[in-house]
Amino acid sequence: MKNVLSLMIGVMLCAVNTYSLAEPYVYPSVHVHDLPSPLQEAYRTEKPNLGNIGRCVTSYDSSMDQEKMIFTCSIYVKMSAVAERKAMERCEQMKLKRNIKGPCKVIQE
């Protein structure tokens, strides 16, 4: 009886541990109204193409210098989580090329 009880507790602990590992990663985000004007305009221009799944990501060091701003979107994907991941990866690559220090953040409405 003790072996069966121990086995059941072990299975339950494994199930709880697996569930906690399966939680989705949440990327840092920024509200569209907190963005500098050029990035807000870029988002408004791209918004009709996003649909329900597409996501845009931005990073910037200066709210005035457009050379220190990154704006990228991922549109043609099947899941919003994939759109976020791809846009974040592209943003990180662009940050390295432009030497931008600010973090990449998903734009939220």
Side-chain angles (χ1 to χ4, degrees), residues 34-100:
D34 296 332
L35 295 174
S37 296
L39 293 173
Q40 287 183 15
E41 186 61 35
Y43 182 76
R44 279 191 214 105
T45 302
E46 195 61 41
K47 187 179 176 198
N49 299 324
L50 295 177
N52 294 331
I53 298 173
R55 297 289 185 265
C56 293
V57 174
T58 188
S59 176
Y60 55 95
D61 285 342
S62 169
S63 60
M64 302 301 275
D65 184 9
Q66 290 189 11
E67 290 297 317
K68 290 292 186 176
M69 295 180 188
I70 294 173
F71 176 81
T72 184
C73 298
S74 186
I75 299 171
Y76 300 111
V77 293
K78 294 182 181 182
M79 294 175 30
S80 60
V82 174
E84 286 182 4
R85 181 178 52 81
K86 287 184 175 210
M88 287 294 281
E89 289 171 359
R90 194 167 33 254
C91 180
E92 292 295 337
Q93 293 170 355
M94 294 168 75
K95 271 179 50 174
L96 291 174
K97 289 179 183 176
R98 291 194 188 177
N99 200 23
I100 294 176

Side-chain angles (χ1 to χ4, degrees), residues 2-20:
K2 286 184 179 181
N3 289 339
V4 173
L5 184 59
S6 296
L7 179 63
M8 287 176 57
I9 290 173
V11 169
M12 287 177 17
L13 288 174
C14 288
V16 168
N17 190 29
T18 302
Y19 176 75
S20 67

